[in-house]
Amino acid sequence: NAGVTQTPKFRVLKTGQSMTLLCAQDMNHEYMYWYRQDPGMGLRLIHYSVGEGTTAKGEVPDGYNVSRLKKQNFLLGLESAAPSQTSVYFCASSYGATGESTDTQYFGPGTRLTVL
Amino acid sequence: AQKVTQAQTEISVVEKEDVTLDCVYETRDTTYYLFWYKQPPSGELVFLIRRNSFDEQNEISGRYSWNFQKSTSSFNFTITASQVVDSAVYFCAQGGSEKLVFGKGTKLTVNP
């Protein structure tokens, strides 16, 4: 099992460019999440999904969109990147037994994004 | 409102010392879960433990132990006989009826 994988690992964008981060999990988990991690801010939830075809906003959703067309994949899109979106992005997944805030979440290796 | 406080921003110890990482949480939920994650220098987040609010038994796993005290809203993590490989940022988190909230982390450096 690969667990949770993220593509790409690193990316540099110019302000205004768009990109999509891909998250894939092979654990047959129902729930998937996108977080950003910034120095001194801990982890903050951007969007999450409790099943294929569903998405919901987290704590910091502005400037991001997501899609969950297949159960194993969760895409995070930046339509017009801004320097404030420079961060490390983590994807996570969980089984879906108890709830999106009480399940054990398993994390991917992260994507380091820099917006110039 | 939910809140998780890890008051120790950075801790430095010498190998083989015992070290305790503090975690204090605030929640209005009666049923909730507590977590610890490890983030080594390589950057990934590694799950360590999940504990529900009804289980106040302390847990031991090898050199790791966790002390859950509901009366003081604390879920502290102790590493016994620390090793250089324990150097990492450790995050405590709490989840219940609302969202999963992470503390800001404690950076542990274990020096040889």
Side-chain angles (χ1 to χ4, degrees), chain A residues 4-5 7 9-11 17 22 26 28 32 35 45-46 48 50 55 64 80 90 94 97-98 112:
Chain A
V4 181
T5 57
T7 309
K9 289 187 168 52
F10 303 93
R11 186 71 187 268
Q17 287 185 319
L22 170 63
D26 62 2
N28 200 33
M32 296 186 76
Y35 290 87
L45 183 64
I46 305 171
Y48 65 98
V50 298
T55 63
Y64 305 95
S80 180
F90 286 98
S94 69
T98 61
R112 187 172 294 274

Side-chain angles (χ1 to χ4, degrees), chain A residues 37 40 90 98 101-102 104-105, chain B residues 37 39 50 91 95-96 98 104:
Chain A
Q37 183 180 31
F90 286 98
T98 61
S101 62
T102 53
T104 296
Q105 296 183 21
Chain B
Y37 285 87
Q39 187 173 39
R50 173 180 183 253
F91 292 94
E98 297 180 39
K104 294 187 177 177

